[in-house]
């Protein structure tokens, strides 16, 4: 079947899958979402993704019209409808159809959309060679303005940072927070290896608490490093032995250059490669 889309209980083809232009998701970016990988035809870490989705929705006072169990069933149903071909699911809950004002109380029922498709975030050779990145001037959203822990449909902050990176000839942007510490990348969390320590910015740095970030922290011991959350400066990044990004779509991607400085030896490091192997082993056992 390939790409299929669930909208409010109906499974549709890509062409049939349309929603109203009056939905506040389009008009205001008002809604929440999740990106979930499927390995062996089954969603990976579905519980963690649903937990984050329902927390994001609660934080923006959006009531999802399905229970968690119903949502998990809908994800499975959509994956099955794709004939096991989909490797990526985009789960979206919109505020619903309203008028042209921004009052969410005037919106009807929130819409639940589940897209089952494929995704390739970075070309395969970038995983061998590693990414070149820059820190950008666009600050990650201040948590008291729009908390990055909310995975909302409003990604303009991230997109502006991505544009800065692309225009300076790099693939990815590293975003700092209001205090100048490292927060995260535009769609990924960031880690560094320094000696035997595996360090990543804490929740209070203003990040989306990544599901892949959690998996990597669980795998750290087996890769010979001790995970810890720590405020990181740009200096910490420059002098790291290794650096990599984590995300559902990206999985684990090595970073070899930041602001024109080589990281470590300027090629993917041994801990990063070992973590990639361990991650692959774990995902290949998904659903067993
Ligand atoms: N930060 C941001 C801003 C993201 O969009 C994502 C991707 N969802 C992540 C981090 C990584 O989170 P996860 O590992 O759950 O995909």
């Amino acid at each position: 079947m390939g790409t299929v889309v669930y909208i409010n209980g109906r499974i549709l083809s890509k062409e049939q899958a349309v929603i109203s232009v009056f939905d506040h998701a389009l008009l205001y970016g008002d809604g929440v979402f999740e990106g979930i990988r499927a390995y062996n035809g089954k969603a990976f870490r579905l519980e963690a993704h649903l937990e984050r989705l329902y927390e994001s929705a609660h934080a923006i006072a959006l009531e999802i019209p399905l229970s968690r169990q119903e949502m998990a069933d809908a994800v499975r149903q959509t994956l099955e409808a794709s004939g096991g071909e989909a490797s990526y699911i985009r789960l979206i809950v919109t505020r619903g159809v309203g008028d042209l004002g921004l009052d969410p109380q005037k919106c009807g029922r929130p819409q639940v959309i589940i897209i089952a498709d494929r995704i390739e975030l970075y070309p395969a050779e970038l995983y061998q060679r590693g990414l070149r990145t820059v820190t950008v001037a666009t600050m990650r959203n201040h948590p008291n303005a729009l908390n990055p822990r909310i995975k909302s449909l409003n990604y303009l902050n991230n997109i502006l940072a991505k544009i800065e990176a692309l225009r300076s000839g790099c693939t990815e942007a590293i975003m700092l927070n209001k205090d100048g510490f490292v927060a995260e990348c535009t769609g990924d969390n960031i880690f560094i290896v320094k000696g035997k320590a595996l360090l990543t910015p804490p929740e209070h740095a203003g990040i989306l608490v990544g599901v892949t970030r959690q998996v990597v922290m669980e795998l750290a011991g087996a890769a010979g490093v001790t995970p810890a959350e720590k405020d990181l400066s740009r200096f910490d990044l420059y002098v790291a032995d290794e650096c990599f990004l984590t995300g559902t779509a990206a999985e684990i991607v090595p970073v070899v250059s930041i602001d024109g400085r080589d990281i470590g030896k300027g090629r993917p490091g041994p801990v990063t490669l070992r973590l990639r192997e361990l991650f692959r082993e774990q995902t290949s056992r998904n659903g067993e």
Side-chain angles (χ1 to χ4, degrees), residues 52 140 151 155 158 184 186-189 208 210-212 247-248:
R52 191 170 64 187
R140 189 72 179 104
K151 196 162 170 61
Y155 255 51
N158 317 52
E184 59 180 341
T186 62
D188 295 315
N189 293 115
L208 183 78
V211 173
T212 322
T248 294

Side-chain angles (χ1 to χ4, degrees), residues 33-36 49 52 88 140 148 151 155 158 175 184-190 207-214 246-251:
F33 78 104
E34 277 299 315
I36 307 168
H49 283 287
R52 191 170 64 187
Y88 183 79
R140 189 72 179 104
K151 196 162 170 61
Y155 255 51
N158 317 52
M175 303 178 78
E184 59 180 341
C185 293
T186 62
D188 295 315
N189 293 115
I190 185 163
I207 60 166
L208 183 78
V209 183
V211 173
T212 322
R213 174 183 182 272
Q214 176 59 31
T246 63
T248 294
E251 300 178 320

Side-chain angles (χ1 to χ4, degrees), residues 121-122 131-136 138-141 148 151 155 157-162 165 171-177 181-191 200-201 205-208 237 243-247 250 253-255 257-258:
L121 207 62
Y122 303 117
L131 286 187
R132 286 162 35 79
T133 62
V134 276
T135 54
V136 293
T138 302
M139 186 183 89
R140 189 72 179 104
N141 279 330
K151 196 162 170 61
Y155 255 51
N157 178 224
N158 317 52
I159 291 164
L160 291 175
K162 185 83 174 179
T171 319
E172 190 48 86
I174 297 171
M175 303 178 78
L176 308 177
N177 63 23
F181 287 112
V182 177
E184 59 180 341
C185 293
T186 62
D188 295 315
N189 293 115
I190 185 163
F191 282 85
T200 194
I207 60 166
L208 183 78
L237 300 188
C243 177
F244 61 85
L245 313 183
T246 63
V253 54
V255 169
S257 163
I258 301 174

Side-chain angles (χ1 to χ4, degrees), residues 70-128:
E70 287 166 339
M71 188 65 91
D73 290 343
V75 168
R76 278 183 212 110
Q77 186 197 342
T78 313
L79 268 174
E80 274 166 30
S82 85
E85 286 176 38
S87 56
Y88 183 79
I89 295 150
R90 178 59 59 87
L91 177 40
I92 302 159
V93 185
T94 73
R95 184 72 70 180
V97 175
D99 63 19
L100 292 177
L102 59 78
D103 185 352
Q105 292 175 24
K106 293 190 182 157
C107 294
R109 195 180 143 92
Q111 309 212 62
V112 177
I113 300 166
I114 306 170
I115 306 170
D117 201 354
R118 289 164 187 279
I119 194 162
E120 192 197 85
L121 207 62
Y122 303 117
E125 51 122 15
L126 273 186
Y127 288 86
Q128 313 297 327

